[in-house]
Amino acid sequence: MLENKKIILAEKDIPTQWYNMQADLPTPLDPYINPRTGKPATKDELCQIFPEPIVNQELSTERWIDIPEEVRDVYKLWRPSPLIRARNLEKFLDTPAKIYFKNEGVSPSGSHKSNSAIAQAYYNMKAGTKRIATETGAGQWGSALAMACKMFGIECVVYMVKVSFQQKPYRKSLMQVYGANVFASPSVQTEAGRKVLEKDPNCNGSLGIAISEAIEDVVTHQNAKYALGSVLNHVALHQTIIGLEAKKQMEIAGEYPDIVIACLGGGSNFSGMAFPFIMDKINGTHKNLRAIAAEPSACPKLSKGVYAYDFGDLSGFTPAIKMYTLSHTFMPSGIHAGGLRYHGASPLVSAIVKAKLAESTVIKQTEAFEAAVTFARCEGILPAPESSHAIRAAINEALIAKEEGKAKTILFNLSGHGHFDLTAYDSYLSGNMQDCDFSQEEVNKALKDLPKIAE
Ligand SMILES: *Cc1c(COP(=O)(O)O)cnc(C)c1O
C-alpha cells in the first residue's frame, strides 16, 4: 500500500481566526515603557508609527481574532501550506519517531513572513496608509512586505543593510520586481543616514541604522507608517495560522505531537507554530506537550540571556520591552542564518519560556547545515539556514527517541526555503564554514547598556 506523505487542506479550511496567546498567559504581559517618560507607552504613542487596527491587536487580550476575508483571499495564493511526513528522513535516522513538518517555504516570498506582511499591509490600507517604510537585513522581511504592499496598493520603501544589499543582490531584485523602492542603508534619503555617511562614507550599515532611517521616513512623509516583521504581539498573532492549520492536519493524520519545534530569531515563526499547541498545554488537554525553540549558538537569548527591559533596536528608538535579551548593543557574529541574529526574543515567547511552558535548545551553525544537507537529500527540499536549526533540533529529538525506543511524534516548522542562500551552502560544502559561538564576556559588557526601568 502506498503511504501518505503530505496532508493538504482545502482553501475553505484556511482558519478564519488567529489565536491570541495573550488571552491565556498565566500572568499578563508587562507593558511597553516609553524610555523618555518612564511610563507605559500609550496607544497614541504607538499609533504614531503603526496604524490603529494593528495597535489594537498588539494590546488585545481577546482569545480569537477574525482574519478578514481579503486577507484570507490573498493567503489562498499559497495557503493552506502542506504538512509533510518526513518518511525518508525517519528511515535514514532509523528512528521509531514519526517526524512531520509544516512547509512555510511555499509562500511567494519563500518564508512564513508573508503571513504577517499580508495582514499588516491590509490593515494599513484600511487605515488609509499610502506608504510603508521598513528595514530589512537579509531581505526576507523586505521581500514579503514588498509583495504584500503591491497586493494592497501601498508604496513600499525598504532600507536594506548595505552589506546585505551588496552580498544578497537577488533579494533586492525580488523586492524591486514587486515594485518596492530599496535603498542601501545608510542612505542619503534620510538625515540619520546622511549623518552616518558624513562620518564614515564606507559604512556597511546595521539593522539599528536601517530602523532609524525607516522611522525617520515615516515621520517625514504624509500617511506613512512603519512595519515590523517579528517580535511584536501582532506579528506572533498573524503567524498562528501555521499552528492552527498544522493542528487540523495532524488530526487528519490521527496524531497529536509530543514535541513541536521551530527556530527562533525574533520569535514569530516559533509563536506561530507553537502557541496553538501551548494553548492545549495550558488548558490541560495536552499537559505533556513539549515546545522547543531552536536558537543559534551565536545568539542564544532564551538559553543565555537575561529577562529584563531592553530596546528593540540598536539605537534605542523603540519602547523598552520586557523580554529575554543579550542586550541591544550585543553584536552577534555574522552567521549565515541572518534571520536569527536578533538580540531579543518576542515578549510573548519570553513570557511563555519564563512560565516554563516552552524550552530552548542551542544549535551550532555547522550542525544546522549538516542537518540541512541530510534533510535536502532525504526530502528534496532545500531549507533556509534559519529553518535548518529547527531541523537539527528535530533530528536530535528523533535520535533520543531511538535510544529510548519510543515512537514519539515530532512536528517542526520549515520556516522557509534556501534558494537565495546557496553561497552559504557553498561555504558549508567546501569545508570553509566555521562555528561562531557567542562570548559571555561580550554579552556581559553589552548587558551594562540595558535601559534602567523601574519595575
Ligand atoms: C526571519 C526568518 C526567521 C526568524 O524570524 P522569527 O521571527 O523568529 O520567525 C526564521 N526563518 C526564516 C526563513 C526567516 O526568514
Side-chain angles (χ1 to χ4, degrees), residues 110-113 140-141 229-231 263-270 339-340 384 386-387 415-417:
S111 82
H112 67 287
K113 291 205 171 68
Q140 295 263 24
W141 170 241
S230 186
V231 183
C263 66
L264 184 120
S268 74
N269 92 96
F270 176 79
L340 306 186
E386 291 85 358
S387 320
S415 53
H417 69 62

Side-chain angles (χ1 to χ4, degrees), residues 19 27 57 82 100 128 158 175 189 247 266 275 338 423 441 447:
Y19 168 60
T27 48
Q57 289 186 347
Y100 290 86
V158 182
M175 290 183 249
Q189 303 298 313
K247 256 171 121 167
F275 285 177
T423 317
E441 221 171 284
L447 286 173

Side-chain angles (χ1 to χ4, degrees), residues 377-411:
R377 289 176 182 174
C378 289
E379 302 298 330
I381 298 171
L382 184 79
E386 291 85 358
S387 320
S388 307
H389 289 69
I391 299 174
R392 178 80 241 181
I395 290 178
N396 289 349
E397 289 298 331
L399 292 176
I400 293 172
K402 178 178 172 177
E403 244 167 59
E404 298 174 346
K406 285 190 183 150
K408 286 184 198 161
T409 301
I410 299 168
L411 166 64

Side-chain angles (χ1 to χ4, degrees), residues 149-433:
C149 283
K150 186 47 74 188
M151 297 276 156
F152 290 107
I154 300 171
E155 190 186 348
C156 181
V157 185
V158 182
Y159 293 89
M160 184 174 189
V161 177
K162 194 191 272 169
V163 58
S164 310
F165 187 93
Q166 288 158 347
Q167 285 175 355
K168 300 205 174 193
Y170 300 128
R171 276 276 165 204
K172 172 199 66 188
S173 309
L174 183 59
M175 290 183 249
Q176 289 169 335
V177 166
Y178 291 134
N181 241 323
V182 189
F183 300 112
S185 166
S187 76
V188 294
Q189 303 298 313
T190 66
E191 191 59 44
R194 288 190 293 268
K195 259 193 197 151
V196 174
L197 286 173
E198 243 166 62
K199 274 196 204 132
D200 178 8
N202 299 318
C203 176
N204 271 332
S206 71
L207 263 185
I209 298 169
I211 293 177
S212 318
E213 290 206 90
I215 292 183
E216 183 181 329
D217 188 295
V218 168
V219 294
T220 53
H221 286 84
Q222 286 277 310
N223 299 321
K225 291 286 184 230
Y226 176 66
L228 204 59
S230 186
V231 183
L232 298 180
N233 305 334
H234 65 271
V235 187
L237 173 79
H238 302 151
Q239 295 297 350
T240 57
I241 191 152
I242 302 171
L244 292 167
E245 277 181 12
K247 256 171 121 167
K248 288 193 194 186
Q249 289 161 308
M250 291 298 278
E251 204 176 300
I252 292 171
E255 305 268 16
Y256 192 94
D258 297 299
I259 304 174
V260 294
I261 299 172
C263 66
L264 184 120
S268 74
N269 92 96
F270 176 79
S271 303
M273 175 52 106
F275 285 177
F277 292 98
I278 292 176
M279 172 178 76
D280 296 343
K281 187 176 172 73
I282 292 174
N283 71 24
T285 49
H286 291 276
K287 281 198 187 104
N288 297 325
L289 171 92
R290 289 175 62 209
I292 305 177
E295 306 191 281
S297 60
C299 194
K301 47 257 173 187
L302 291 176
S303 307
K304 306 283 169 138
V306 299
Y307 190 50
Y309 269 106
D310 193 13
F311 295 119
D313 65 310
L314 181 73
S315 324
F317 278 114
T318 69
I321 304 169
K322 184 80 173 283
M323 59 183 174
Y324 278 100
T325 179
L326 297 166
S327 176
H328 63 287
T329 55
F330 170 69
M331 267 293 159
S333 40
I335 51 169
H336 292 284
L340 306 186
R341 282 183 72 226
Y342 184 69
H343 65 275
S346 111
L348 275 171
V349 173
S350 295
I352 286 294
V353 168
K354 185 74 185 161
K356 298 199 165 25
L357 291 162
E359 55 197 279
S360 60
T361 185
V362 176
I363 307 288
K364 287 178 191 286
Q365 168 158 271
T366 51
E367 294 173 336
F369 274 87
E370 186 196 14
V373 169
T374 299
F375 180 78
R377 289 176 182 174
C378 289
E379 302 298 330
I381 298 171
L382 184 79
E386 291 85 358
S387 320
S388 307
H389 289 69
I391 299 174
R392 178 80 241 181
I395 290 178
N396 289 349
E397 289 298 331
L399 292 176
I400 293 172
K402 178 178 172 177
E403 244 167 59
E404 298 174 346
K406 285 190 183 150
K408 286 184 198 161
T409 301
I410 299 168
L411 166 64
F412 75 85
N413 190 38
L414 189 77
S415 53
H417 69 62
H419 295 174
F420 288 89
D421 301 284
L422 288 162
T423 317
Y425 278 92
D426 277 347
S427 157
Y428 174 73
L429 293 172
S430 62
N432 291 327
M433 184 174 285

